[in-house]
Amino acid sequence: AQSVSQHNHHVILSEAASLELGCNYSYGGTVNLFWYVQYPGQHLQLLLKYFSGDPLVKGIKGFEAEFIKSKFSFNLRKPSVQWSDTAEYFCAATLAGTYKYIFGTGTRLKVLA
Amino acid sequence: EPEVTQTPSHQVTQMGQEVILRCVPISNHLYFYWYRQILGQKVEFLVSFYNNEISEKSEIFDDQFSVERPDGSNFTLKIRSTKLEDSAMYFCASSDGGGPQETQYFGPGTRLLVL
């Protein structure tokens, strides 16, 4: 079955550290990939998405992600995190011909001031 | 900025009771979705809805579940006879267009606890 994996469940960083959160998907066909963020007490918000073109995607709040087809990966990066980036981050995928998002387990990021 | 809203934020019910979870999607959106997240598990797709019909559903969405758009603004999920394992956070989402490349906009969720 198609799935999305996020191997880092909890990440703790100090402010100004660089961030990379892993996301891998298991599907050989066309996929569309999303990163969502959920700040404490808030709803899921889209950070960025990829469905074609330049594999390096830039999103809001200084985040970017790189689609590497050969590695089935779509890792999220930010060069310098801030305390306000403390949140849970979800990777999701959709497949051709379907509406549903397939979510990873989420990664809880805590940034220490 | 328009947002998806959900009511109630928390609901506690007894096993076997019916519950209705309510959502108000973004006003010009045409596609609606329900997801759930059992504590400690992944967010899982339940159902998508367009033009007053279910367009896709998961194996979780059995005969105990139903969805409805009773008027021009609300979108509801009904669980007919709740089970303990229905305890979860339920998220509503909506999108402007349909298809796998569309951004879905999520509500804050309803936490359902079945006792």
Side-chain angles (χ1 to χ4, degrees):
Chain A
Q2 295 84 17
S3 66
V4 174
S5 302
Q6 292 179 247
H7 302 295
N8 315 104
H9 297 299
H10 291 89
V11 174
I12 302 175
L13 293 173
S14 299
E15 272 194 319
S18 64
L19 170 72
E20 181 161 2
L21 301 182
C23 173
N24 290 92
Y25 62 92
S26 63
Y27 182 66
T30 301
V31 292
N32 307 283
L33 295 156
F34 304 78
W35 275 100
Y36 277 80
V37 61
Q38 187 174 30
Y39 297 104
Q42 297 189 27
H43 55 272
L44 286 158
Q45 301 172 42
L46 181 72
L47 278 177
L48 48 81
K49 65 180 181 180
Y50 171 81
F51 46 87
S52 65
D54 189 343
L56 185 61
V57 182
K58 293 195 184 298
I60 61 171
K61 301 178 192 267
F63 287 91
E64 65 179 31
E66 186 174 11
F67 171 63
I68 303 179
K69 190 173 181 179
S70 61
K71 294 185 178 180
F72 298 87
S73 70
F74 189 57
N75 291 356
L76 182 71
R77 299 195 293 246
K78 186 171 184 178
S80 175
V81 295
Q82 301 171 313
W83 177 80
S84 56
D85 293 322
T86 294
E88 188 159 16
Y89 293 80
F90 293 89
C91 183
T94 61
L95 311 177
T98 179
Y99 299 96
K100 66 179 183 184
Y101 281 10
I102 303 167
F103 279 91
T105 49
T107 297
R108 287 187 189 272
L109 172 67
K110 185 175 177 64
V111 180
L112 305 175
Chain B
E1 185 179 320
E3 290 185 343
V4 176
T5 59
Q6 291 184 242
T7 55
S9 57
H10 294 78
Q11 172 118 27
V12 181
T13 190
Q14 295 291 325
M15 191 169 56
Q17 295 296 304
E18 174 184 287
V19 295
I20 297 176
L21 308 183
R22 291 182 167 80
C23 169
V24 178
I26 293 172
S27 63
N28 62 338
H29 284 185
L30 300 176
Y31 295 81
F32 314 114
Y33 314 86
W34 284 101
Y35 292 80
R36 77 173 186 190
Q37 185 179 29
I38 295 170
L39 192 64
Q41 298 186 24
K42 293 183 179 185
V43 177
E44 302 172 288
F45 170 79
L46 292 178
V47 66
S48 60
F49 190 86
Y50 168 71
N51 199 25
N52 281 320
E53 288 185 349
I54 290 173
S55 44
E56 189 175 0
K57 63 181 182 178
S58 72
E59 60 274 9
I60 303 168
F61 194 87
D62 61 20
D63 292 344
Q64 295 297 316
F65 292 89
S66 62
V67 289
E68 192 179 28
R69 188 152 162 84
D71 53 44
S73 59
N74 289 283
F75 178 52
T76 62
L77 174 70
K78 182 192 291 186
I79 309 174
R80 185 164 46 230
S81 177
T82 50
K83 305 180 187 119
L84 296 177
E85 55 265 35
D86 294 328
S87 295
M89 179 74 92
Y90 288 80
F91 294 104
C92 174
S94 68
S95 65
D96 184 11
Q101 297 174 359
E102 291 294 326
T103 298
Q104 295 180 19
Y105 295 82
F106 287 81
T110 293
R111 187 170 294 283
L112 176 66
L113 178 61
V114 182
L115 302 176

